[in-house]
Amino acid sequence: MMKGRSWDDWIARYAQSHQKPLNRLTHLIGIPMIGLSLPLALLSVFVADLWPWALGLFMAGWALQFIDHWIEGKPPEFLSDWRFLFVGARWWLAKVTGRA
């Protein structure tokens, strides 16, 4: 799935296109919002009135990222390769644990 590249290679490429402090900040906030929205969406099948929270987190997380990419004038990496959707989450984890 990763075309023979290591996770470190994918994260390094992702990090290259996310150099500006505002871009990194919006991604540090937006990526976990999107990540949290997915299990909440599944849970909303069983818990009443949870779906607005899931939808709100999902939309706000993506809005943060797209607005910042628009400001920077660079498209998101996943538009060139869908696998960057997963790399973004790994980049976030590496960032918050001090490994990126």
Side-chain angles (χ1 to χ4, degrees):
M1 179 175 142
M2 301 311 280
K3 282 192 176 177
R5 288 188 196 158
S6 71
W7 273 110
D8 291 337
D9 293 340
W10 283 93
I11 290 171
R13 179 167 169 206
Y14 187 90
Q16 281 181 330
S17 65
H18 298 84
Q19 292 292 313
K20 295 186 179 175
L22 179 61
N23 186 279
R24 288 180 180 223
L25 177 64
T26 59
H27 282 64
L28 281 171
I29 296 168
I31 288 172
M33 290 174 77
I34 295 165
L36 180 59
S37 75
L38 300 175
L40 284 179
L42 292 173
L43 195 58
S44 71
V45 173
F46 305 105
V47 179
D49 299 324
L50 193 56
W51 70 267
W53 288 98
L55 182 61
L57 284 169
F58 188 82
M59 292 176 63
W62 279 112
L64 278 172
Q65 294 184 67
F66 277 109
I67 289 169
D68 189 61
H69 276 286
W70 178 74
I71 291 169
E72 283 204 2
K74 290 194 287 188
E77 286 287 338
F78 73 85
L79 292 178
S80 65
D81 190 332
W82 64 271
R83 289 171 287 206
F84 277 105
L85 289 169
F86 300 104
V87 175
R90 288 290 294 259
W91 170 85
W92 180 86
L93 184 62
K95 200 73 174 147
V96 298
T97 59
R99 292 182 283 146

